[in-house]
Amino acid sequence: MSHSRLFARLLLQQNGVRSCYTASRKNLYIDKDTKVICQGFTGKQGTFHSQQAIDYGSRLVGGVSPGKGGRTHLGVPVFNSVKEAREGTGAEATVIYVPPPFAGAAIIEAIDAGMPLVVCITEGIPQQDMVKVKHKLLRQSTTRLIGPNCPGVINVSTHIYTHTHKLLRQSTTRLIGPNCPGVINPGECKIGIMPGHIHKKGRIGIGGDPFNGTNFIDCLEVFLQDPKTDGIILIGEIGGNAEENAADYLKQHNSGANAKPVVSFIAGLTAPPGRRMGHAGAIIAGGKGGAKEKIAALQQAGVVVSMSPAQLGSTMFKEFEKRKML
Amino acid sequence: MAASMASQAVARGLRGASAKYLFLDKFKCARVSSRRWLNLQEYQSKKLMQESGVTVQRFYVADNPPDALQAAKRLNAKEIVLKAQILAGGRGKGVFNSGLKGGVHLTKDPSVVGELASKMLGYSLTTKQTPKEGVEVKTVMVAEALDITRETYFAILMDRACNGPVMVGSPQGGMDIEEVADKSPELIFKEVIDIFEGVRDDQALRMAANLGFKGPLERQAADQIKRLYDLFLKVDATQVEVNPLGETPEGQVVCFDAKISFDDNAEFRQKAVFAMGDMSESDPTETEAAKWDLKYIGLDGNIACFVNGAGLAMATCDIIDLHGGKPANFLDLGGGVKEKQVYEAFKLLTADPKVEAILVNIFGGIVNCAIIANGITKACRELELKVPLVVRLEGTNVQEAKRILSESGLPIVAANDLDDAAKKAVAAITRK
């Protein structure tokens, strides 16, 4: 009986044990100097959000639109392929706004071109396509994927002051797609709610699909080890067990005197079981994946769970106060 | 008189049709759920299986009694099973408003099939899983009844923890698989499939052996397993569940029933499959919403939600509940929503008699708040809004949107953040 072998293999995959892909976690770090290209550059969404990113100060150095290479769009060059774009600009990150039928291939193209960071915004990629992407992804260590179906990444590095609270930070780099707020106010949390955001001064939206490139643990490792990160906000939703795995990880790596405060919100307490709540991965199936269990698991790991997303900022602020971190 | 094995098989096959859940948490991998999203009738699922070379009972479909009779004769079978085709389960114990008891019948006489069909087609079948008034039966399946000597369970699904397809099987088929998982987990077998490699011969044979198929049947079962996997990929299924995968006295491996769940994201390349979808047993509001590309799920409460973004939509329902209200629905407008969709969504919400207040929560990134504002004001004017409307807007073009709303003259309550909006919506109801 090959049970024990299967079991071991299962546990291996389950606990996020070091595979070569985990080596790419360091690519989650971006800053205002990170050179970004956009795949699907000349499309409607690509154009809209690239312009937003440029206005915001992101270093958008070019884009990919097969067949339109050689042109200029939004003031930067257009290339026919990711490989050409990378060679032509030295870009280290790409954001993908390609429609679902072609998005899987776009991600694979970026992996083949050795792009260190790929952020895929597209919602609606068939699961089979993403399974193939993941297969490739997990067997290499150069490329890190965030998403798909995610709002993107932001790194925040400048303080701005409001009242007497130094907690507000203005984002200066924006690889983001829709719903990018970038500001946490202790009084009123102005963040859009999407699954899998981990805030610190940066914010990574990991997306709502069942098969994605980056999970909570990937982000937690980066943030826990980053000396500039003071606190972490983790936003989750029903479906799967990523939050439970994150809780386990926190128990092991974020306990004791030096533990960083982690505040969380889990969406879907009122979601009826068996229905897919919008996101492909947001479903309570077989009695598993419910919000209550996730909240309990996180609380056991020392996470402060807020019942309202609007209070995440103030809850984090209180944690800072408690630990005299202000 | 002992019930024939065929009728036992039929009864067990029907049990498979009722909604049930399974989780194999002990293996922390496969979670099978037996709920259909894209709703296919049994005969449609079986047709898909036939097209992939999976062995199912020979069958015909009929939508009138003479055809049913013809089908029964054409089958030339020892015994025939006649099954009403509705999506809900519990057919065996259901009742027709024609007086006929049972949505599934076995008979050795083809002429009886015609008679029975005439009491099924066009009539309403009520079962434990249908609404009280039942569901109209438009088609019946006339199939060759086969005796079953052994029942096994087999499923293929896309599993997150294993990052891809997984096969799950048990020699204990034909019953509640979650009971098996609970009481005898050692009888559940699993194989992780490499998406590029497919099912290897050794995997298929091992699963067949684990399912208890012996001798020539082992190879036959392995072949069926591979074909089921081919089907799984071909139709972009997220799950194919066969219960029971049975053995007949004549030495055949047959799929007696199957439930297929489809990946909605693959609709653009599965037009034929999705065209088969039968929405007649779905909630009419949900069907209407789907027409406009709105993700809508009806809930039990009285505060309607109107939100962009699935996570935010879920959170909105949660916060309403937190502040003592009850959400009437989940509604995700999506990112690129147009004014027409806003209008239609509003129409849907206001048409629901349960709704006593509407909460609009928009955090616009791609969504332009002014479009939302225009859609809302237009809808409110035309539909004569009668319930309190609480609006919280944030994001792209919000100032313009707020101006549009305040100048509309409509009784709209503005809110600053999500908590505030939820509290106001709840208060608006209790105030009445």
PDB file of all heavy atoms in Angstrom, chain B residues 19 29 34 67 81 113 122 126 130 138 152 196 201 231-232 243 249 283 301 323 340 359 361 386 421-422 429-431:
ATOM      1  N   ALA B  19     -27.979  15.932  -3.216  1.00  0.00           N
ATOM      2  CA  ALA B  19     -26.827  16.759  -2.855  1.00  0.00           C
ATOM      3  C   ALA B  19     -26.159  16.197  -1.613  1.00  0.00           C
ATOM      4  O   ALA B  19     -26.798  15.897  -0.619  1.00  0.00           O
ATOM      5  CB  ALA B  19     -27.299  18.190  -2.609  1.00  0.00           C
ATOM      6  N   CYS B  29      -6.544  16.386   1.420  1.00  0.00           N
ATOM      7  CA  CYS B  29      -6.416  16.645  -0.005  1.00  0.00           C
ATOM      8  C   CYS B  29      -7.750  16.826  -0.668  1.00  0.00           C
ATOM      9  O   CYS B  29      -8.238  17.917  -0.770  1.00  0.00           O
ATOM     10  CB  CYS B  29      -5.635  15.537  -0.701  1.00  0.00           C
ATOM     11  SG  CYS B  29      -6.463  13.953  -0.577  1.00  0.00           S
ATOM     12  N   SER B  34     -20.919  17.434  -4.046  1.00  0.00           N
ATOM     13  CA  SER B  34     -21.805  16.930  -5.064  1.00  0.00           C
ATOM     14  C   SER B  34     -22.881  17.922  -5.443  1.00  0.00           C
ATOM     15  O   SER B  34     -24.037  17.567  -5.562  1.00  0.00           O
ATOM     16  CB  SER B  34     -22.457  15.645  -4.566  1.00  0.00           C
ATOM     17  OG  SER B  34     -21.435  14.747  -4.231  1.00  0.00           O
ATOM     18  N   ASP B  67     -42.682   7.973 -28.185  1.00  0.00           N
ATOM     19  CA  ASP B  67     -41.239   7.832 -28.353  1.00  0.00           C
ATOM     20  C   ASP B  67     -40.635   6.981 -27.242  1.00  0.00           C
ATOM     21  O   ASP B  67     -39.700   6.204 -27.477  1.00  0.00           O
ATOM     22  CB  ASP B  67     -40.558   9.211 -28.365  1.00  0.00           C
ATOM     23  CG  ASP B  67     -40.705   9.910 -29.715  1.00  0.00           C
ATOM     24  OD1 ASP B  67     -41.235   9.258 -30.659  1.00  0.00           O
ATOM     25  OD2 ASP B  67     -40.311  11.081 -29.828  1.00  0.00           O
ATOM     26  N   VAL B  81     -35.238   0.418 -17.393  1.00  0.00           N
ATOM     27  CA  VAL B  81     -35.474   1.371 -16.311  1.00  0.00           C
ATOM     28  C   VAL B  81     -35.894   2.698 -16.936  1.00  0.00           C
ATOM     29  O   VAL B  81     -35.279   3.191 -17.882  1.00  0.00           O
ATOM     30  CB  VAL B  81     -34.215   1.524 -15.410  1.00  0.00           C
ATOM     31  CG1 VAL B  81     -32.997   1.989 -16.195  1.00  0.00           C
ATOM     32  CG2 VAL B  81     -34.488   2.483 -14.274  1.00  0.00           C
ATOM     33  N   VAL B 113     -43.698   0.746 -20.372  1.00  0.00           N
ATOM     34  CA  VAL B 113     -42.906   1.981 -20.390  1.00  0.00           C
ATOM     35  C   VAL B 113     -43.713   3.128 -20.982  1.00  0.00           C
ATOM     36  O   VAL B 113     -43.722   4.245 -20.465  1.00  0.00           O
ATOM     37  CB  VAL B 113     -41.600   1.764 -21.191  1.00  0.00           C
ATOM     38  CG1 VAL B 113     -40.883   3.086 -21.390  1.00  0.00           C
ATOM     39  CG2 VAL B 113     -40.696   0.784 -20.474  1.00  0.00           C
ATOM     40  N   GLY B 122     -44.909  15.869 -18.818  1.00  0.00           N
ATOM     41  CA  GLY B 122     -45.868  16.954 -18.732  1.00  0.00           C
ATOM     42  C   GLY B 122     -46.451  17.120 -17.349  1.00  0.00           C
ATOM     43  O   GLY B 122     -47.162  18.085 -17.069  1.00  0.00           O
ATOM     44  N   THR B 126     -42.735  15.795  -7.540  1.00  0.00           N
ATOM     45  CA  THR B 126     -42.320  16.408  -6.281  1.00  0.00           C
ATOM     46  C   THR B 126     -41.465  15.430  -5.499  1.00  0.00           C
ATOM     47  O   THR B 126     -41.864  14.287  -5.276  1.00  0.00           O
ATOM     48  CB  THR B 126     -43.566  16.774  -5.436  1.00  0.00           C
ATOM     49  OG1 THR B 126     -44.442  17.572  -6.223  1.00  0.00           O
ATOM     50  CG2 THR B 126     -43.156  17.567  -4.204  1.00  0.00           C
ATOM     51  N   THR B 130     -37.240  19.024  -4.250  1.00  0.00           N
ATOM     52  CA  THR B 130     -37.850  20.012  -5.154  1.00  0.00           C
ATOM     53  C   THR B 130     -38.698  20.968  -4.318  1.00  0.00           C
ATOM     54  O   THR B 130     -39.028  20.661  -3.173  1.00  0.00           O
ATOM     55  CB  THR B 130     -38.791  19.339  -6.172  1.00  0.00           C
ATOM     56  OG1 THR B 130     -39.887  18.749  -5.456  1.00  0.00           O
ATOM     57  CG2 THR B 130     -38.071  18.291  -6.988  1.00  0.00           C
ATOM     58  N   LYS B 138     -39.971  17.130 -18.426  1.00  0.00           N
ATOM     59  CA  LYS B 138     -40.076  17.338 -19.874  1.00  0.00           C
ATOM     60  C   LYS B 138     -39.457  16.189 -20.659  1.00  0.00           C
ATOM     61  O   LYS B 138     -39.765  15.976 -21.823  1.00  0.00           O
ATOM     62  CB  LYS B 138     -39.377  18.637 -20.268  1.00  0.00           C
ATOM     63  CG  LYS B 138     -39.960  19.858 -19.600  1.00  0.00           C
ATOM     64  CD  LYS B 138     -39.517  21.141 -20.304  1.00  0.00           C
ATOM     65  CE  LYS B 138     -39.915  22.363 -19.492  1.00  0.00           C
ATOM     66  NZ  LYS B 138     -38.791  22.875 -18.703  1.00  0.00           N
ATOM     67  N   THR B 152     -18.498   0.468  -6.615  1.00  0.00           N
ATOM     68  CA  THR B 152     -17.335   1.195  -6.096  1.00  0.00           C
ATOM     69  C   THR B 152     -17.584   2.683  -6.292  1.00  0.00           C
ATOM     70  O   THR B 152     -18.516   3.086  -6.994  1.00  0.00           O
ATOM     71  CB  THR B 152     -16.035   0.806  -6.828  1.00  0.00           C
ATOM     72  OG1 THR B 152     -16.060   1.374  -8.162  1.00  0.00           O
ATOM     73  CG2 THR B 152     -15.883  -0.696  -6.932  1.00  0.00           C
ATOM     74  N   PHE B 196       0.593  17.309 -17.094  1.00  0.00           N
ATOM     75  CA  PHE B 196       1.185  17.144 -18.418  1.00  0.00           C
ATOM     76  C   PHE B 196       1.355  15.676 -18.778  1.00  0.00           C
ATOM     77  O   PHE B 196       1.349  15.305 -19.931  1.00  0.00           O
ATOM     78  CB  PHE B 196       2.538  17.866 -18.490  1.00  0.00           C
ATOM     79  CG  PHE B 196       2.406  19.364 -18.487  1.00  0.00           C
ATOM     80  CD1 PHE B 196       2.816  20.121 -17.407  1.00  0.00           C
ATOM     81  CD2 PHE B 196       1.838  20.027 -19.574  1.00  0.00           C
ATOM     82  CE1 PHE B 196       2.674  21.508 -17.401  1.00  0.00           C
ATOM     83  CE2 PHE B 196       1.690  21.411 -19.576  1.00  0.00           C
ATOM     84  CZ  PHE B 196       2.112  22.145 -18.480  1.00  0.00           C
ATOM     85  N   ASP B 201      -0.307   4.412 -16.820  1.00  0.00           N
ATOM     86  CA  ASP B 201      -0.873   3.058 -16.789  1.00  0.00           C
ATOM     87  C   ASP B 201      -0.822   2.470 -15.386  1.00  0.00           C
ATOM     88  O   ASP B 201      -1.783   1.880 -14.899  1.00  0.00           O
ATOM     89  CB  ASP B 201      -0.076   2.132 -17.717  1.00  0.00           C
ATOM     90  CG  ASP B 201      -0.606   2.216 -19.139  1.00  0.00           C
ATOM     91  OD1 ASP B 201      -1.726   2.737 -19.322  1.00  0.00           O
ATOM     92  OD2 ASP B 201       0.090   1.757 -20.059  1.00  0.00           O
ATOM     93  N   LEU B 231     -12.300  12.720 -20.251  1.00  0.00           N
ATOM     94  CA  LEU B 231     -13.532  13.511 -20.225  1.00  0.00           C
ATOM     95  C   LEU B 231     -13.364  14.718 -19.306  1.00  0.00           C
ATOM     96  O   LEU B 231     -13.717  15.841 -19.663  1.00  0.00           O
ATOM     97  CB  LEU B 231     -14.699  12.638 -19.730  1.00  0.00           C
ATOM     98  CG  LEU B 231     -16.001  13.384 -19.423  1.00  0.00           C
ATOM     99  CD1 LEU B 231     -16.601  13.954 -20.701  1.00  0.00           C
ATOM    100  CD2 LEU B 231     -17.005  12.460 -18.745  1.00  0.00           C
ATOM    101  N   PHE B 232     -12.810  14.452 -18.138  1.00  0.00           N
ATOM    102  CA  PHE B 232     -12.558  15.493 -17.139  1.00  0.00           C
ATOM    103  C   PHE B 232     -11.803  16.670 -17.762  1.00  0.00           C
ATOM    104  O   PHE B 232     -12.177  17.826 -17.592  1.00  0.00           O
ATOM    105  CB  PHE B 232     -11.753  14.865 -16.002  1.00  0.00           C
ATOM    106  CG  PHE B 232     -11.287  15.805 -14.930  1.00  0.00           C
ATOM    107  CD1 PHE B 232     -12.151  16.240 -13.943  1.00  0.00           C
ATOM    108  CD2 PHE B 232      -9.966  16.234 -14.897  1.00  0.00           C
ATOM    109  CE1 PHE B 232     -11.707  17.101 -12.932  1.00  0.00           C
ATOM    110  CE2 PHE B 232      -9.518  17.097 -13.896  1.00  0.00           C
ATOM    111  CZ  PHE B 232     -10.386  17.526 -12.911  1.00  0.00           C
ATOM    112  N   ASN B 243     -20.715   7.393  -8.906  1.00  0.00           N
ATOM    113  CA  ASN B 243     -21.131   6.592  -7.759  1.00  0.00           C
ATOM    114  C   ASN B 243     -22.496   5.980  -8.013  1.00  0.00           C
ATOM    115  O   ASN B 243     -23.497   6.678  -7.944  1.00  0.00           O
ATOM    116  CB  ASN B 243     -21.185   7.485  -6.506  1.00  0.00           C
ATOM    117  CG  ASN B 243     -21.282   6.656  -5.231  1.00  0.00           C
ATOM    118  OD1 ASN B 243     -21.050   5.456  -5.225  1.00  0.00           O
ATOM    119  ND2 ASN B 243     -21.611   7.311  -4.138  1.00  0.00           N
ATOM    120  N   PRO B 249     -22.843  -8.837 -13.448  1.00  0.00           N
ATOM    121  CA  PRO B 249     -22.586 -10.277 -13.441  1.00  0.00           C
ATOM    122  C   PRO B 249     -21.982 -10.772 -14.762  1.00  0.00           C
ATOM    123  O   PRO B 249     -21.299 -11.778 -14.807  1.00  0.00           O
ATOM    124  CB  PRO B 249     -23.964 -10.912 -13.215  1.00  0.00           C
ATOM    125  CG  PRO B 249     -24.913  -9.816 -13.004  1.00  0.00           C
ATOM    126  CD  PRO B 249     -24.231  -8.509 -13.219  1.00  0.00           C
ATOM    127  N   ASP B 283     -32.980  29.464  -9.293  1.00  0.00           N
ATOM    128  CA  ASP B 283     -33.648  30.666  -8.820  1.00  0.00           C
ATOM    129  C   ASP B 283     -33.770  31.649  -9.984  1.00  0.00           C
ATOM    130  O   ASP B 283     -32.773  31.992 -10.613  1.00  0.00           O
ATOM    131  CB  ASP B 283     -32.800  31.270  -7.696  1.00  0.00           C
ATOM    132  CG  ASP B 283     -33.394  32.541  -7.144  1.00  0.00           C
ATOM    133  OD1 ASP B 283     -34.234  32.447  -6.245  1.00  0.00           O
ATOM    134  OD2 ASP B 283     -33.046  33.619  -7.638  1.00  0.00           O
ATOM    135  N   GLY B 301     -32.390  37.537   3.826  1.00  0.00           N
ATOM    136  CA  GLY B 301     -32.693  38.746   4.593  1.00  0.00           C
ATOM    137  C   GLY B 301     -33.478  39.802   3.852  1.00  0.00           C
ATOM    138  O   GLY B 301     -34.096  39.553   2.816  1.00  0.00           O
ATOM    139  N   HIS B 323     -24.056  44.186  12.342  1.00  0.00           N
ATOM    140  CA  HIS B 323     -24.794  45.291  12.940  1.00  0.00           C
ATOM    141  C   HIS B 323     -26.270  44.974  13.120  1.00  0.00           C
ATOM    142  O   HIS B 323     -27.088  45.870  13.262  1.00  0.00           O
ATOM    143  CB  HIS B 323     -24.600  46.559  12.103  1.00  0.00           C
ATOM    144  CG  HIS B 323     -23.211  47.117  12.213  1.00  0.00           C
ATOM    145  ND1 HIS B 323     -22.709  47.628  13.380  1.00  0.00           N
ATOM    146  CD2 HIS B 323     -22.220  47.204  11.297  1.00  0.00           C
ATOM    147  CE1 HIS B 323     -21.453  48.029  13.178  1.00  0.00           C
ATOM    148  NE2 HIS B 323     -21.133  47.782  11.928  1.00  0.00           N
ATOM    149  N   LYS B 340     -25.874  50.200 -17.929  1.00  0.00           N
ATOM    150  CA  LYS B 340     -27.023  49.324 -18.185  1.00  0.00           C
ATOM    151  C   LYS B 340     -27.096  48.212 -17.138  1.00  0.00           C
ATOM    152  O   LYS B 340     -28.162  47.868 -16.644  1.00  0.00           O
ATOM    153  CB  LYS B 340     -26.903  48.711 -19.595  1.00  0.00           C
ATOM    154  CG  LYS B 340     -28.004  47.733 -19.947  1.00  0.00           C
ATOM    155  CD  LYS B 340     -29.285  48.436 -20.316  1.00  0.00           C
ATOM    156  CE  LYS B 340     -30.336  47.483 -20.872  1.00  0.00           C
ATOM    157  NZ  LYS B 340     -31.644  47.643 -20.310  1.00  0.00           N
ATOM    158  N   LEU B 359     -28.466  48.747   0.219  1.00  0.00           N
ATOM    159  CA  LEU B 359     -27.170  49.304   0.592  1.00  0.00           C
ATOM    160  C   LEU B 359     -26.240  49.217  -0.605  1.00  0.00           C
ATOM    161  O   LEU B 359     -25.964  48.133  -1.106  1.00  0.00           O
ATOM    162  CB  LEU B 359     -26.578  48.502   1.757  1.00  0.00           C
ATOM    163  CG  LEU B 359     -25.394  49.121   2.515  1.00  0.00           C
ATOM    164  CD1 LEU B 359     -25.201  48.386   3.831  1.00  0.00           C
ATOM    165  CD2 LEU B 359     -24.100  49.042   1.745  1.00  0.00           C
ATOM    166  N   ASN B 361     -22.528  49.757  -1.875  1.00  0.00           N
ATOM    167  CA  ASN B 361     -21.163  49.909  -1.348  1.00  0.00           C
ATOM    168  C   ASN B 361     -20.186  49.770  -2.504  1.00  0.00           C
ATOM    169  O   ASN B 361     -19.940  48.681  -2.998  1.00  0.00           O
ATOM    170  CB  ASN B 361     -20.906  48.838  -0.292  1.00  0.00           C
ATOM    171  CG  ASN B 361     -19.533  48.992   0.343  1.00  0.00           C
ATOM    172  OD1 ASN B 361     -18.912  50.053   0.241  1.00  0.00           O
ATOM    173  ND2 ASN B 361     -19.043  47.950   0.984  1.00  0.00           N
ATOM    174  N   LYS B 386     -39.086  52.640  -3.461  1.00  0.00           N
ATOM    175  CA  LYS B 386     -39.962  52.782  -2.308  1.00  0.00           C
ATOM    176  C   LYS B 386     -39.270  52.468  -0.983  1.00  0.00           C
ATOM    177  O   LYS B 386     -39.842  52.633   0.085  1.00  0.00           O
ATOM    178  CB  LYS B 386     -41.180  51.841  -2.454  1.00  0.00           C
ATOM    179  CG  LYS B 386     -42.118  52.252  -3.546  1.00  0.00           C
ATOM    180  CD  LYS B 386     -43.413  51.407  -3.490  1.00  0.00           C
ATOM    181  CE  LYS B 386     -44.275  51.670  -4.706  1.00  0.00           C
ATOM    182  NZ  LYS B 386     -43.706  51.075  -5.933  1.00  0.00           N
ATOM    183  N   ALA B 421     -22.314  52.731   6.747  1.00  0.00           N
ATOM    184  CA  ALA B 421     -23.350  52.366   5.775  1.00  0.00           C
ATOM    185  C   ALA B 421     -24.231  51.239   6.314  1.00  0.00           C
ATOM    186  O   ALA B 421     -25.460  51.295   6.219  1.00  0.00           O
ATOM    187  CB  ALA B 421     -22.703  51.938   4.457  1.00  0.00           C
ATOM    188  N   ALA B 422     -23.595  50.238   6.884  1.00  0.00           N
ATOM    189  CA  ALA B 422     -24.358  49.094   7.393  1.00  0.00           C
ATOM    190  C   ALA B 422     -25.271  49.528   8.534  1.00  0.00           C
ATOM    191  O   ALA B 422     -26.444  49.153   8.591  1.00  0.00           O
ATOM    192  CB  ALA B 422     -23.411  47.992   7.854  1.00  0.00           C
ATOM    193  N   ILE B 429     -34.383  50.393   8.454  1.00  0.00           N
ATOM    194  CA  ILE B 429     -35.458  49.405   8.514  1.00  0.00           C
ATOM    195  C   ILE B 429     -36.180  49.464   9.839  1.00  0.00           C
ATOM    196  O   ILE B 429     -37.401  49.476   9.904  1.00  0.00           O
ATOM    197  CB  ILE B 429     -34.910  47.982   8.311  1.00  0.00           C
ATOM    198  CG1 ILE B 429     -34.347  47.852   6.914  1.00  0.00           C
ATOM    199  CG2 ILE B 429     -35.997  46.968   8.554  1.00  0.00           C
ATOM    200  CD1 ILE B 429     -33.945  46.464   6.560  1.00  0.00           C
ATOM    201  N   THR B 430     -35.438  49.502  10.909  1.00  0.00           N
ATOM    202  CA  THR B 430     -36.069  49.462  12.228  1.00  0.00           C
ATOM    203  C   THR B 430     -36.850  50.725  12.509  1.00  0.00           C
ATOM    204  O   THR B 430     -37.771  50.734  13.303  1.00  0.00           O
ATOM    205  CB  THR B 430     -35.023  49.250  13.341  1.00  0.00           C
ATOM    206  OG1 THR B 430     -33.898  50.082  13.061  1.00  0.00           O
ATOM    207  CG2 THR B 430     -34.576  47.812  13.370  1.00  0.00           C
ATOM    208  N   ARG B 431     -36.485  51.791  11.782  1.00  0.00           N
ATOM    209  CA  ARG B 431     -37.182  53.047  12.005  1.00  0.00           C
ATOM    210  C   ARG B 431     -38.632  52.973  11.536  1.00  0.00           C
ATOM    211  O   ARG B 431     -39.491  53.651  12.032  1.00  0.00           O
ATOM    212  CB  ARG B 431     -36.471  54.169  11.233  1.00  0.00           C
ATOM    213  CG  ARG B 431     -36.601  55.557  11.849  1.00  0.00           C
ATOM    214  CD  ARG B 431     -35.841  56.590  11.033  1.00  0.00           C
ATOM    215  NE  ARG B 431     -34.405  56.385  11.075  1.00  0.00           N
ATOM    216  CZ  ARG B 431     -33.618  56.517  10.018  1.00  0.00           C
ATOM    217  NH1 ARG B 431     -34.118  56.841   8.855  1.00  0.00           N
ATOM    218  NH2 ARG B 431     -32.337  56.320  10.110  1.00  0.00           N
TER     219      ARG B 431
END
